[in-house]
Amino acid sequence: MKINGTPYRSLWWNAEQDVLEIIDQRWLPHDFRVIPVQSMQDFADAIYEMRVRGAPLIGATAAYGMARAMAEDPSDANMDAAWTFLEKTRPTAINLRWALDRCRTALRPLAEADRAGAALTLAHEIADEDVEINRQIGLNGLALIKEIAAKKPAGEPVRLLTHCNAGWLATVDWGTATSPMYHAHDAGIPLHVWVDETRPRNQGALTSWELGSHGVDHTYITDNAGGHLMQHGMVDMVITGTDRTTRRGDVCNKIGTYLKALAAHDNGVPFYVALPSPTVDWSVSDGVAEIPIEERDAREVTHIQGVTDAGGIGLVQVTPDGTPGGNPAFDVTPNRLVTGLITERGVCDASEEGLAGLFPELARAAG
Ligand code: MRU
């Protein structure tokens, strides 16, 4: 997507310098910084510290990390070490393991001399595929938005609500939940997006930045406002992303998603989840019982980052000294609360039948 008219992806390969470059998301929306990711430690830090974030982007970054490892030492032992080193950075988003598994499966049979080149080509492929998957999700979600728009008086906006940042910054491009929004906006459908702030890390500010840059009308709201807006008929549809979806359609996403789904259910508001197929974990059925939930540093809760009156980016403590903080980063929304899954192959029920119907080969391969 574009920043001040210039097209960007969230990561790209700098072929001249032979290095991966990323937008360092820790400073957004206040400061736009591009940094190189070079050493294996850089890759792990980029993912753990959320310089890159969002399930699909974590996966693509890990693929480039594997390419880096193969350039350093293409042995089987180093391949396995890189897999373990990168996989442990963040436990919930399945795209990380999906990308690492895909790399290892493709690279293992190759002669060591061929691995570095093949790994880099594969990382490029994974990044490009992500862009195309998200574009298709956008077209499939656009059809749903068009249906809502058709029932409204001409010119009245379709009012969407989203949680966290499932935008182009969370993927390589387009975003998942935001892709239908960008497509609808570009198709001339009037939209208004309620953007949840998404404490503790306020990924909603990233979503606001993205939507604002693209000219999409939106309002940044507190995490607790969504239920109220739904009760008053001010939300036509919720679209969120997902970090891991089970084979039967339970959705694990940013903390607070479950509460939005409950409020949507209680108020008859359609609750859709934008789901790229690499985000399905076919080995898991019961999301609440089986998906590991990342517990992050309590400082993310007790402190908040923003622009200070002096104009710099600063951290402010919001709790009394020494207050213990709890920081589960994700929650699980059971499939019964999900109206549908918007995938690159179409929209399906949040159920085993729905997912296996669209992705029979993946369901079969998982057994
Ligand atoms: O902790 P984050 O910022 O990586 O969490 C991101 C989310 O929860 C997104 O909604 C999810 O990864 C889907 S991204 C297209």
Side-chain angles (χ1 to χ4, degrees):
M1 305 297 287
K2 288 185 180 159
I3 303 171
N4 296 329
T6 305
Y8 273 93
R9 287 183 172 187
S10 55
L11 55 65
W12 59 90
W13 185 252
N14 181 332
E16 270 170 31
Q17 301 191 8
D18 219 24
V19 72
L20 182 71
E21 293 184 334
I22 60 168
I23 299 171
D24 187 343
Q25 299 190 25
R26 290 172 301 172
W27 311 110
L28 289 175
H30 310 297
D31 201 4
F32 182 77
R33 298 186 196 175
V34 172
I35 56 168
V37 186
Q38 272 156 328
S39 68
M40 288 307 287
Q41 192 61 49
D42 284 350
F43 276 94
D45 289 346
I47 298 172
Y48 177 72
E49 293 177 358
M50 297 172 65
R51 301 172 193 181
V52 289
R53 39 150 299 283
L57 182 57
I58 292 171
T61 305
Y64 281 102
M66 188 57 96
R68 171 73 202 180
M70 292 300 89
E72 284 177 359
D73 168 5
S75 66
D76 281 359
N78 194 45
M79 193 186 301
D80 291 342
W83 190 101
T84 306
F85 184 63
L86 294 170
E87 201 269 343
K88 68 179 184 211
T89 50
R90 293 196 75 186
T92 301
I94 195 61
N95 306 58
L96 177 59
R97 201 170 73 203
W98 170 86
L100 290 169
D101 281 346
R102 180 166 163 186
C103 292
R104 193 159 60 173
T105 304
L107 300 172
R108 185 74 96 202
L110 304 183
E112 287 191 4
D114 297 332
R115 285 178 177 174
L120 187 57
T121 303
L122 183 53
H124 294 332
E125 266 171 39
I126 286 173
D128 289 344
E129 273 173 31
D130 181 63
V131 177
E132 182 53 20
I133 284 174
N134 298 328
R135 199 182 67 80
Q136 289 297 338
I137 285 174
L139 294 172
N140 294 328
L142 169 63
L144 296 171
I145 294 175
K146 274 186 176 163
E147 277 173 32
I148 297 172
K151 293 184 193 138
K152 286 181 165 272
E156 210 171 272
V158 176
R159 295 152 314 171
L160 304 169
L161 182 143
T162 193
H163 192 68
C164 194
N165 172 260
W168 70 265
L169 290 167
T171 63
V172 179
D173 207 352
W174 284 108
T176 59
T178 57
S179 186
M181 299 173 194
Y182 293 131
H183 279 90
H185 176 81
D186 293 351
I189 298 173
L191 287 186
H192 182 269
V193 184
W194 301 109
V195 178
D196 288 348
E197 66 174 341
T198 318
R199 278 284 285 147
R201 287 190 65 118
N202 295 6
Q203 285 94 333
L206 303 178
T207 305
S208 281
W209 183 72
E210 280 193 22
L211 293 176
S213 304
H214 201 76
V216 181
D217 191 36
H218 65 280
T219 306
Y220 186 71
I221 56 173
T222 62
D223 286 326
N224 297 324
H228 164 77
L229 296 173
M230 292 185 216
Q231 274 179 329
H232 288 269
M234 295 165 77
V235 182
D236 298 310
M237 179 185 185
V238 179
I239 314 180
T240 74
T242 167
D243 288 82
R244 193 188 295 218
T245 294
T246 69
R247 65 182 299 139
R248 71 177 194 194
D250 295 343
V251 171
C252 182
N253 190 49
K254 181 51 56 192
I255 192 79
T257 303
Y258 171 49
L259 290 177
K260 292 298 165 293
L262 283 172
H265 191 254
D266 195 43
N267 290 284
V269 174
F271 184 94
Y272 282 93
V273 174
L275 167 69
S277 58
T279 310
V280 182
D281 184 346
W282 298 92
S283 72
V284 165
S285 291
D286 180 341
V288 176
E290 297 175 71
I291 297 179
I293 300 296
E294 177 178 8
E295 184 75 31
R296 291 188 64 87
D297 193 335
R299 259 178 85 81
E300 293 183 348
V301 180
T302 57
H303 292 64
I304 194 164
Q305 178 175 292
V307 175
T308 65
D309 283 348
I313 296 177
L315 206 59
V316 174
Q317 181 178 316
V318 290
T319 51
D321 286 349
T323 300
N327 192 8
F330 299 93
D331 61 24
V332 173
T333 299
N335 61 3
R336 68 189 160 79
L337 299 175
V338 180
T339 309
L341 302 169
I342 309 170
T343 79
E344 69 268 29
R345 290 196 188 162
V347 180
C348 70
D349 286 345
S351 66
E352 188 142 7
E353 300 70 38
L355 279 169
L358 284 184
F359 300 99
E361 77 286 12
L362 300 181
R364 244 190 333 269

